[in-house]
C-alpha cells in the first residue's frame, strides 16, 4: 500500500512539474514579446522626445484594478517640477508583477490615434515657430540694397554714424560715392558748424568741435594730426573741409609760441561723412591765416593760368608800408626764405605718417572727382609769410588738375587783406584800409570797386564779408551815439551791411543783438543762413555765443548755443579759432 501511494505521488509531482515547466515557457515567451514591444516603444518615445513630447505608460499591476498612465511634457520648457509624476510606484510596493519576476513591462494604454493627435498638435506649434524665425531671417538677409540705401540715406548724420557700426555691409554701403551723391542731392541734410583751433592748457589739442544745429548737440572729434598747428584757415568744399596753411612752434611743440615758429604750406582735407583725411598738394608759399574762397565750376571750365610776369614769379612780394619795388628785396631774402620753407616742408613730408589717421590716395580722389562731374576751385590770398610779414600774392587750386597755380597780386596800395568771400563768379576781398577788390575767376584779373558810402567802423575790429544767395554782406563794429538821447553813453554795436552790386552802395540792414566783445568774431554763411561765432574771456572764463540769422528776416538773430563748448578752453582759443559750415 505504501509503495502504491509513493508511486502515485511521484506521478502527480511529475505531472505538476510538467505543467509548471509549460507555464514557465509560456511566461518566458510572453516576457520576450514584451521586451521587444518595450524596445519599440522606447524608440518611439525617443522620437517623441525630439519633437518636444514624451509619452510613457506606467507598469501594469494585477492588484488595484486597471492601469495607471502618466504623460508629461519634456524638458523643452526647462522646468522639471511641471512634470506629472504618478504615485503608482508607491502604491505598487509589495505587489508582484504579472509578467515574470522584476519585469516592469511598459504598455501603451492610449486609445488608437490619441497619441498621434497629441504629437501633431505640438509639432504644428513648433513648426509654425520655426517658419516664423526662418521668415524673419530671410527678410533680414535678403533685403535689397536699394531699399537699404533708401532707408539709410534718410538718417541724420549722428544716426548714420551709429548705423555704420552695425555691420561691415552697412558701413561699405554708406561710404560709396553713389550713396554720398544721393545724400547730397536729397533733402535730408542739416547744417553743421565745425570749430577748429581749440587750445587747452597752452597746447593746441587739435580737437574739432562739431555742432548739429538742428539738434543743438555738440560732438567732439579727435584729430592728432592737427595737434600743435595753429593760425590756419578752413573752408567748406562740398562735403569736405580744407585746412590751409598755419604755423607750428619749433621750440615748444604743441604750444602757441610765435617766438620761433614754422609756417606751413601743406593742405589737408577732412571728410566728416567718412571721418577720413587726405593730403592735398602743398601751396607754393607758406601762409598763416590766408583768405580763402571756393568756386564751383563745370568740367569744361578753362584751366587757371597765371597772369604774372616773370619778375613777379620769383618770390612773394610783401607789403609793409609803401616800399618801392626797386628796393623791396635787394638781397633776395624772400628767395632764401622760400627755399628754406621748401626744404622744411620736404623734410617734414619725409617723416613717417602717423598711424592714427588713414590718408586716401590723391589719384583715387582725382578720378572720383572726374567721374562724378564735380569740380571746384580753391583760392588762397594774402595771409602772413614765413617772417610774419603780410603777403599780397595769391594761389588757386584746381581739383581736376590737382595742383596750385599762382594768380595776379592784389591791386597796388590795396593794403593788408583782412576778409574775403566768393559771391557769384567774383572773389571779393576787403582790406584793413577799407578798400574793396574783386577777382574775376573767368578772366583772371583783379577789379577795384569804389563803393559808397564806406560803412563806419571801429578800427580795432576788422570787418567780415559773407555771401548768401548771391547777396554780399559785411559785418562791422561801429559806435552808436546813444540813440539820440542826451547824456546817454555811447556803445559799440555790430551792424550788418549789404552791398548793392548794381549801384555799388552799402545799406544797413540789421543790428546784431550781442555786444561786440570778440574782436576776432567769425561769420560764415550757408544757403540762406548766416552763422556767427563769438568767443571772449571774462572773469577768468571763456564764453561763447553762437547766433544765426535768416536773410529773409534779417531783423531777427537767434541764439543756437551758448557756453557749451568753451568752458575747457584757454583764452588764446579766441584768436586761433576758425569755423566752417557744411550741410550733412
Amino acid at each position: 500500500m505504501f509503495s502504491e501511494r509513493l508511486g502515485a505521488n511521484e506521478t502527480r509531482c511529475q505531472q505538476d512539474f510538467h505543467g509548471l515547466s509549460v507555464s514557465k515557457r509560456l511566461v518566458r515567451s510572453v516576457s520576450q514579446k514584451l521586451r521587444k514591444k518595450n524596445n519599440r516603444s522606447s524608440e518611439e518615445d525617443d522620437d517623441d522626445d525630439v519633437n518636444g513630447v514624451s509619452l510613457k505608460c506606467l507598469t501594469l499591476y494585477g492588484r488595484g484594478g486597471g492601469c495607471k498612465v502618466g504623460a508629461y511634457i519634456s524638458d523643452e520648457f526647462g522646468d522639471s517640477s511641471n512634470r506629472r509624476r504618478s504615485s503608482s510606484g508607491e502604491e505598487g510596493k509589495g505587489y508582484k508583477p504579472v509578467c515574470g519576476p522584476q519585469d516592469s513591462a511598459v504598455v501603451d494604454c492610449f486609445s488608437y490615434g490619441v497619441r498621434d493627435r497629441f504629437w501633431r498638435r505640438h509639432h504644428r506649434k513648433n513648426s509654425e515657430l520655426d517658419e516664423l524665425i526662418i521668415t524673419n531671417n530671410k527678410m533680414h538677409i535678403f533685403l535689397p540694397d536699394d531699399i537699404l540705401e533708401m532707408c539709410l540715406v534718410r538718417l541724420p548724420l549722428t544716426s548714420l554714424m551709429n548705423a555704420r557700426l552695425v555691420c561691415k555691409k552697412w558701413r561699405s554701403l554708406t561710404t560709396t560715392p553713389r550713396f554720398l551723391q544721393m545724400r547730397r542731392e536729397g533733402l535730408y541734410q542739416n547744417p553743421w558748424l565745425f570749430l577748429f583751433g581749440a587750445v587747452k592748457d597752452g597746447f593746441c589739442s587739435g580737437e574739432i568741435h562739431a555742432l548739429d544745429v538742428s539738434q543743438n548737440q555738440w560732438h567732439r572729434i579727435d584729430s592728432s594730426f592737427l595737434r600743435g598747428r595753429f593760425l590756419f584757415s578752413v573752408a567748406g568744399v562740398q562735403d569736405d573741409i580744407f585746412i590751409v596753411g598755419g604755423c607750428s612752434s619749433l621750440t615748444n611743440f604743441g604750444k602757441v609760441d610765435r617766438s620761433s615758429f614754422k609756417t606751413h604750406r601743406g593742405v589737408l582735407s577732412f571728410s566728416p561723412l567718412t571721418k577720413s583725411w587726405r593730403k592735398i598738394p602743398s601751396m607754393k608759399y607758406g601762409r598763416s591765416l590766408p583768405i580763402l574762397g571756393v568756386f564751383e565750376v563745370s568740367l569744361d571750365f578753362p584751366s587757371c593760368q597765371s597772369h604774372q610776369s616773370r619778375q613777379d614769379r620769383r618770390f612773394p612780394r610783401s607789403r609793409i608800408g609803401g616800399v618801392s619795388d626797386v628796393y623791396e628785396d635787394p638781397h633776395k631774402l624772400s628767395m632764401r626764405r622760400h627755399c628754406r620753407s621748401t626744404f622744411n616742408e620736404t623734410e617734414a613730408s619725409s617723416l613717417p605718417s602717423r598711424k592714427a589717421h588713414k590718408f586716401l590716395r590723391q589719384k583715387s580722389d582725382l578720378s572720383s572727382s572726374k567721374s562724378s562731374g564735380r569740380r571746384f576751385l580753391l583760392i588762397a590770398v594774402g595771409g602772413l609769410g614765413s617772417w610774419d610779414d603780410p603777403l599780397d600774392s595769391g594761389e588757386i587750386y584746381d581739383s581736376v588738375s590737382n595742383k596750385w597755380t599762382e594768380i595776379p597780386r592784389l591791386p597796388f596800395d590795396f593794403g593788408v587783406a583782412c576778409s574775403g568771400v566768393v559771391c557769384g563768379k567774383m572773389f571779393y576781398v576787403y582790406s584793413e584800409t577799407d578798400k574793396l577788390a574783386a577777382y574775376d575767376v573767368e578772366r583772371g584779373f583783379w577789379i577795384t570797386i569804389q563803393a559808397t558810402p564806406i560803412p563806419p567802423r571801429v578800427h580795432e575790429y576788422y570787418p567780415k564779408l559773407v555771401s548768401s544767395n548771391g547777396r554780399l554782406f559785411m559785418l562791422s563794429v561801429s559806435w552808436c551815439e546813444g540813440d539820440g538821447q542826451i547824456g546817454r553813453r555811447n556803445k559799440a554795436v555790430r551792424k550788418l551791411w549789404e552791398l548793392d552790386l548794381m549801384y555799388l552802395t552799402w545799406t544797413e540792414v540789421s543790428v546784431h543783438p550781442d555786444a561786440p566783445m570778440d574782436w576776432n568774431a567769425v561769420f560764415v554763411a550757408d544757403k540762406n543762413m548766416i552763422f556767427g561765432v563769438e568767443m571772449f574771456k571774462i572773469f577768468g572764463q571763456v564764453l561763447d555765443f553762437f547766433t544765426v540769422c535768416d536773410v529773409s528776416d534779417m531783423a531777427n538773430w537767434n541764439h543756437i548755443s551758448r557756453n557749451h563748448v568753451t568752458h575747457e578752453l584757454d583764452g588764446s582759443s579766441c584768436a586761433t579759432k576758425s569755423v566752417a559750415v557744411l550741410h550733412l
Side-chain angles (χ1 to χ4, degrees):
M1 293 293 294
F2 179 78
S3 61
E4 292 178 357
R5 289 181 180 178
L6 182 61
N9 290 335
E10 289 177 358
T11 304
R12 188 181 298 110
C13 289
Q14 291 177 0
Q15 292 177 355
D16 293 337
F17 180 79
H18 180 71
L20 181 61
S21 62
V22 172
S23 62
K24 286 184 178 181
R25 286 196 298 269
L26 180 61
V27 169
R28 190 180 298 108
S29 63
V30 171
S31 300
Q32 291 177 358
K33 292 180 180 179
L34 289 175
R35 287 193 186 94
K36 292 180 181 179
K37 188 172 183 179
N38 288 338
N39 293 333
R40 289 196 299 269
S41 62
S42 62
E43 292 176 359
E44 292 176 358
D45 290 339
D46 293 339
D47 295 337
D48 294 337
D49 288 336
V50 174
N51 293 305
V53 178
S54 178
L55 304 176
K56 293 184 179 180
C57 185
L58 297 179
T59 308
L60 184 64
Y61 294 94
R63 186 174 178 180
C67 68
K68 297 180 175 59
V69 179
Y72 64 90
I73 304 302
S74 69
D75 293 337
E76 176 187 355
F77 299 95
D79 189 4
S80 60
S81 63
N82 292 334
R83 298 177 180 176
R84 184 187 302 170
R85 297 182 178 178
S86 175
S87 60
S88 61
E90 297 178 358
E91 295 177 359
K93 289 181 179 179
Y95 297 97
K96 296 180 180 181
V98 175
C99 305
Q102 306 297 331
D103 224 357
S104 299
V106 179
V107 181
D108 188 0
C109 297
F110 281 111
S111 61
Y112 179 76
V114 173
R115 189 184 64 179
D116 294 339
R117 288 197 299 270
F118 190 71
W119 178 82
R120 290 195 195 98
R121 184 191 308 165
H122 289 275
H123 182 70
R124 183 167 56 253
K125 293 180 180 180
N126 295 333
S127 61
E128 291 177 357
L129 182 61
D130 294 340
E131 290 178 0
L132 181 60
I133 295 174
I134 294 173
T135 304
N136 293 334
N137 292 336
K138 288 183 178 179
M139 288 178 62
H140 175 71
I141 296 175
F142 298 103
L143 191 64
D145 291 346
D146 53 352
I147 298 180
L148 273 177
E149 285 183 346
M150 292 174 62
C151 298
L152 296 175
V153 78
R154 288 168 169 80
L155 293 177
L157 181 60
T158 306
S159 302
L160 181 61
M161 293 300 179
N162 295 332
R164 289 176 178 172
L165 303 177
V166 174
C167 60
K168 294 182 179 180
K169 179 181 179 181
W170 284 22
R171 180 176 179 83
S172 61
L173 190 65
T174 55
T175 54
T176 58
R178 179 176 178 270
F179 181 86
L180 299 179
Q181 183 70 19
M182 289 173 56
R183 186 173 179 85
R184 190 182 304 112
E185 295 175 354
L187 302 177
Y188 321 111
Q189 296 178 331
N190 297 316
W192 281 69
L193 283 176
F194 294 87
L195 177 63
F196 294 80
V199 180
K200 291 183 179 181
D201 300 328
F203 287 88
C204 301
S205 61
E207 291 181 349
I208 305 173
H209 299 272
L211 172 63
D212 185 357
V213 179
S214 61
Q215 302 293 332
N216 193 17
Q217 185 177 3
W218 281 97
H219 304 269
R220 182 178 301 175
I221 304 173
D222 294 330
S223 174
S224 59
F225 193 82
L226 294 178
R227 189 173 300 165
R229 196 168 179 175
F230 58 93
L231 295 181
F232 51 83
S233 298
V234 297
V237 181
Q238 297 171 352
D239 296 335
D240 301 336
I241 299 177
F242 278 62
I243 297 94
V244 182
C247 300
S248 61
S249 177
L250 295 176
T251 56
N252 298 321
F253 179 77
K255 289 189 175 182
V256 184
D257 186 9
R258 298 295 299 273
S259 60
S260 178
F261 62 93
K262 179 183 68 173
T263 305
H264 294 277
R265 299 186 301 116
V267 181
L268 296 175
S269 175
F270 171 66
S271 175
L273 290 177
T274 59
K275 290 186 178 181
S276 60
W277 293 82
R278 59 186 177 90
K279 290 183 178 180
I280 305 297
S282 301
M283 298 182 294
K284 295 189 176 183
Y285 308 109
R287 302 173 187 270
S288 60
L289 294 177
I291 310 300
L292 303 180
V294 180
F295 293 93
E296 291 190 4
V297 296
S298 59
L299 290 176
D300 55 355
F301 187 82
S303 60
C304 301
Q305 297 180 358
S306 176
H307 298 272
Q308 292 181 311
S309 61
R310 295 180 180 179
Q311 183 179 357
D312 290 341
R313 294 182 181 179
R314 294 179 183 176
F315 45 83
R317 183 179 61 194
S318 62
R319 287 191 179 275
I320 313 179
V323 184
S324 174
D325 292 343
V326 178
Y327 302 99
E328 184 177 6
D329 201 356
H331 301 290
K332 300 294 186 298
L333 294 178
S334 298
M335 180 64 71
R336 299 177 185 177
R337 282 177 282 178
H338 171 56
C339 295
R340 187 184 65 177
S341 63
T342 305
F343 174 78
N344 291 336
E345 293 288 344
T346 305
E347 183 180 4
S349 62
S350 62
L351 296 176
S353 59
R354 307 187 182 188
K355 298 181 179 180
H357 298 277
K358 180 180 179 181
F359 292 94
L360 306 180
R361 295 182 179 179
Q362 300 174 3
K363 293 183 179 180
S364 61
D365 176 70
L366 180 59
S367 60
S368 63
S369 64
K370 288 183 179 180
S371 60
S372 61
R374 301 166 55 195
R375 183 183 181 186
F376 64 89
L377 305 176
L378 176 64
I379 184 172
V381 175
L384 301 178
S386 300
W387 290 77
D388 210 12
D389 52 338
L391 302 176
D392 64 349
S393 61
E395 304 176 45
I396 191 168
Y397 170 77
D398 191 349
S399 62
V400 173
S401 62
N402 198 31
K403 64 180 181 180
W404 290 86
T405 306
E406 294 185 56
I407 62 174
R409 301 178 183 274
L410 291 169
F412 186 72
D413 292 337
F414 179 76
V416 179
C418 61
S419 179
V421 69
V422 172
C423 183
K425 296 183 180 180
M426 306 290 287
F427 178 56
Y428 294 89
V429 179
Y430 202 86
S431 70
E432 297 179 359
T433 56
D434 298 325
K435 294 182 180 181
L436 182 64
Y439 178 74
D440 191 339
V441 67
E442 292 182 350
R443 301 180 182 179
F445 58 81
W446 290 94
I447 302 173
T448 303
I449 299 175
Q450 299 292 336
T452 56
I454 300 176
R457 69 179 184 90
V458 180
H459 289 279
E460 285 78 7
Y461 294 83
Y462 296 136
K464 305 294 182 181
L465 294 179
V466 292
S467 175
S468 175
N469 289 342
R471 302 166 63 181
L472 183 62
F473 300 94
M474 182 177 67
L475 290 104
S476 63
V477 177
S478 60
W479 292 104
C480 180
E481 298 178 358
D483 295 334
Q485 299 180 10
I486 301 176
R488 187 171 180 177
R489 293 183 59 184
N490 296 341
K491 62 179 181 179
V493 295
R494 195 184 303 274
K495 297 181 178 181
L496 180 65
W497 302 78
E498 182 179 2
L499 178 63
D500 190 341
L501 300 178
M502 180 65 68
Y503 299 101
L504 300 180
T505 57
W506 290 102
T507 306
E508 180 183 341
V509 293
S510 179
V511 177
H512 198 275
D514 297 333
M517 301 292 293
D518 185 8
W519 61 270
N520 190 33
V522 180
F523 292 89
V524 291
D526 182 71
K527 296 184 178 180
N528 60 330
M529 309 297 290
I530 299 177
F531 299 92
V533 179
E534 297 181 75
M535 295 170 51
F536 56 92
K537 186 176 182 179
I538 184 172
F539 302 121
Q541 185 178 4
V542 179
L543 304 180
D544 64 275
F545 294 91
F546 290 79
T547 54
V548 61
C549 173
D550 193 340
V551 295
S552 60
D553 186 14
M554 289 180 293
N556 297 324
W557 288 80
N558 299 319
H559 290 87
I560 54 177
S561 179
R562 182 180 295 179
N563 302 333
H564 291 291
V565 68
T566 60
H567 61 279
E568 300 178 353
L569 305 183
D570 294 350
S572 56
S573 301
C574 304
T576 60
K577 68 177 180 297
S578 54
V579 180
V581 58
L582 294 178
H583 255 73
L584 301 173

